Amino acid sequence: MQTFSKILSITALTASLALGLGSIAKAEQKTDFKVAWSIYVGWMPWGYAADHGIVKKWADKYGIKIEVTQFNDYVESMNQYTAGAFDAVTLTNMDGLSIPAAGGVDTTAVIVGDFSNGNDAVILKDKASLADIKGQNVNLVEFSVSHYLLARAIESIKLTERDVKVVNTSDADMVAAYKTADVTAVVTWNPLVSTILEDPTAKKVFDSSQVPGEIIDLMVANSGVLKDNPNFGKALAGIWYETAALLTADSADGKAAREAMGQASGTDLKGFESQLAATKLFAKPADAVAFTASGSLPKTMDLVRNFLFEKGLLGNGAPSADVIGIEMPDGKILGDSGNVKLRFTETYMKAAADGSL
């Protein structure tokens, strides 16, 4: 699972931007749009679609242009979106709340693409029980979805974060860190999980399949841009579902697409399909609509916002987890209804499900 290792600097950035964002990325009717994405199994369709004419096909249908840019640094993609340089970006539900929303950027989840269903894991060295984590140093990217997964894991066995010591470790250093003698516990995401588990000492003791639907991967867009340019949202939906259908197809073309996406993400067909198996991909729009409209989403976002508040990631001096409003598809709002900055909508996914794109 992609996440952010520079959260403290981003928090400072978003705080400084919060007062000035009203003048950034002004909502208006336009024809050219910019989309940012980064490497992760559930987001590879965006790069493939750009490379194989699917983005152009849907943009042409609506008389617009869409430029899709890959970022090797997930953090930077969110920075650029938050600053108004991009109209849309791939990110997780947690990061969407703590970065653009906390920074004052009104953001809408256009596509609920998947949730991690095993791609994120807690791994211990030479210990096979989650209870063995008590008293250990745990290496992870601090304030990331890995940190969130750790909190959910230890909560399940009646421990708290006081029972372990978090050691902030860059995702780039995680595999090498695990190989050192003094590192005995890590929390990370694929493909790092798969690499670490190749070591015979590594034992997976908890993963995201045990908290299903909580680490959600999204394509979000600036709400003002989307409101004034609904065809942009329709094009994004068309791109996603055409490419996702190909990704999951049991055909030669589907296999070729998976192989290309695997290579683009630094693995092979087998490795990519292994990561895909640990991902609950919403390839069909009706499934995405059902998940987004379910009662589980408000519960998940309540868990996420409280985690972020406890870590001080909802803005300087935030008095409570209610400081930012989160709008659900039915219009109900978690938190401050006067400061809604993250929105979930069925609109574009439902249009795809209804065949009305």
Side-chain angles (χ1 to χ4, degrees), residues 292-308:
T292 307
S294 73
S296 65
L297 184 61
K299 294 176 183 177
T300 292
M301 292 311 299
D302 192 44
L303 286 168
V304 167
R305 71 189 188 125
N306 278 290
F307 171 82
L308 293 172

Side-chain angles (χ1 to χ4, degrees), residues 163-241:
D163 294 305
V164 299
K165 182 181 178 182
V166 169
V167 179
N168 189 25
T169 306
S170 168
D171 55 310
D173 300 329
M174 197 66 69
V175 173
Y178 182 82
K179 293 177 180 177
T180 63
D182 59 340
V183 174
T184 58
V186 301
V187 188
T188 190
W189 57 82
N190 265 323
L192 305 179
V193 167
S194 297
T195 301
I196 292 170
L197 288 176
E198 291 172 0
D199 189 312
T201 68
K203 311 295 181 184
K204 181 172 68 173
V205 295
F206 193 90
D207 68 31
S208 52
S209 68
Q210 290 163 266
V211 286
E214 293 188 19
I215 300 175
I216 309 169
D217 301 307
L218 310 169
M219 169 60 79
V220 303
N222 180 286
S223 299
V225 170
L226 204 56
K227 181 180 179 181
D228 285 359
N229 302 274
N231 283 346
F232 175 49
K234 292 178 182 178
L236 290 175
I239 293 162
W240 171 256
Y241 290 111

Side-chain angles (χ1 to χ4, degrees), residues 40-84:
Y40 173 65
V41 58
W43 294 331
M44 297 310 298
W46 295 103
Y48 183 90
D51 292 341
H52 291 79
I54 299 173
V55 169
K56 185 178 186 303
K57 169 187 169 181
W58 283 92
D60 286 350
K61 176 175 181 174
Y62 291 105
I64 60 177
K65 292 182 179 179
I66 300 176
E67 179 184 350
V68 176
T69 301
Q70 177 193 325
F71 279 76
N72 293 326
D73 185 338
Y74 174 52
V75 179
E76 186 60 20
S77 70
M78 291 190 294
N79 276 346
Q80 291 290 327
Y81 167 78
T82 301

Side-chain angles (χ1 to χ4, degrees), residues 90-296:
T90 54
L91 45 66
T92 68
N93 55 322
M94 190 174 99
D95 298 346
L97 182 57
S98 65
I99 305 303
V105 180
D106 194 325
T107 294
T108 296
V110 179
I111 306 291
V112 176
D114 69 85
F115 64 76
S116 176
N117 200 32
N119 271 318
D120 300 76
V122 180
I123 299 171
L124 301 184
K125 185 176 288 181
D126 290 320
K127 301 288 184 182
S129 170
L130 176 60
D132 292 321
I133 202 170
K134 187 174 182 178
Q136 294 203 46
N137 290 345
V138 183
N139 293 68
L140 51 76
V141 179
E142 197 171 18
F143 307 133
S144 71
V145 289
S146 294
H147 203 156
Y148 175 79
L149 186 68
L150 172 68
R152 295 289 283 129
I154 59 180
E155 178 185 84
S156 74
I157 54 171
K158 310 302 182 186
L159 298 181
T160 71
E161 205 170 309
R162 290 188 298 274
D163 294 305
V164 299
K165 182 181 178 182
V166 169
V167 179
N168 189 25
T169 306
S170 168
D171 55 310
D173 300 329
M174 197 66 69
V175 173
Y178 182 82
K179 293 177 180 177
T180 63
D182 59 340
V183 174
T184 58
V186 301
V187 188
T188 190
W189 57 82
N190 265 323
L192 305 179
V193 167
S194 297
T195 301
I196 292 170
L197 288 176
E198 291 172 0
D199 189 312
T201 68
K203 311 295 181 184
K204 181 172 68 173
V205 295
F206 193 90
D207 68 31
S208 52
S209 68
Q210 290 163 266
V211 286
E214 293 188 19
I215 300 175
I216 309 169
D217 301 307
L218 310 169
M219 169 60 79
V220 303
N222 180 286
S223 299
V225 170
L226 204 56
K227 181 180 179 181
D228 285 359
N229 302 274
N231 283 346
F232 175 49
K234 292 178 182 178
L236 290 175
I239 293 162
W240 171 256
Y241 290 111
E242 178 172 338
T243 314
L246 183 60
L247 169 64
T248 55
D250 184 16
S251 65
D253 286 345
K255 181 180 178 181
R258 291 189 294 276
E259 190 163 25
M261 292 184 210
Q263 289 176 350
S265 63
T267 186
D268 56 14
L269 177 62
K270 182 180 179 182
F272 186 73
E273 290 184 336
S274 174
Q275 293 176 44
L276 202 57
T279 307
K280 174 57 179 176
L281 188 77
F282 295 119
K284 296 180 179 179
D287 293 339
V289 169
F291 174 79
T292 307
S294 73
S296 65

